[in-house]
Amino acid sequence: MRIILDKFLQAWSACMFCMVQGDLTVLTLSHAFTASKTGLLTGVAYWVTTKFDEGPSSLWNGAWLTGVLTMASDIVIHPTHFGDQWLEAFCTGLGAASICLIWEKLKWQQD
């Protein structure tokens, strides 16, 4: 279940940042709740995909999958706050994939 928490936090962080378009002074509990739904859906979806397979074979595949699942979750959970319907979700997915890369690199350096 650690993987669900990791992916939740990666998607949650990216979603919070994108929803407020980088202005962290306007964060509210409503933003946190919405980001929590996106994070939970991403975490569970990632966990389910690892149950059907061994999981991503590389760091890049894991980051790609995290980004795609975060984008899909973001589209499903709430409407966009800027641009086309997919634009905020794309930025959120890109942010989650970037956080995933950094997260995993730091985790591997500790091992």
Side-chain angles (χ1 to χ4, degrees):
M1 291 304 180
R2 174 68 186 185
I3 194 74
I4 294 175
L5 179 61
D6 285 353
K7 298 307 168 186
F8 170 85
L9 290 173
Q10 293 163 9
W12 183 86
S13 300
C15 189
M16 286 286 283
F17 190 78
C18 287
M19 270 195 293
V20 296
Q21 299 172 33
D23 184 4
L24 301 179
T25 63
V26 298
L27 286 175
T28 64
L29 285 175
S30 177
H31 290 115
F33 182 69
T34 301
S36 294
K37 291 190 282 185
T38 299
L40 184 61
L41 184 56
T42 300
V44 170
Y46 195 95
W47 177 76
V48 167
T49 61
T50 62
K51 289 298 162 197
F52 291 113
D53 195 8
E54 298 170 359
S57 59
S58 73
L59 174 64
W60 292 101
N61 288 344
W64 177 84
L65 183 58
T66 299
V68 168
L69 292 174
T70 301
M71 181 178 174
S73 298
D74 197 72
I75 288 172
V76 168
I77 295 298
H78 67 90
T80 189
H81 291 93
F82 58 87
D84 292 328
Q85 174 60 32
W86 58 270
L87 184 59
E88 180 188 351
F90 176 79
C91 292
T92 303
L94 188 61
S98 300
I99 291 169
C100 178
L101 283 173
I102 293 166
W103 186 294
E104 295 298 327
K105 284 283 191 181
L106 291 174
K107 191 165 75 173
W108 284 356
Q109 287 179 355
Q110 290 177 352
D111 292 339

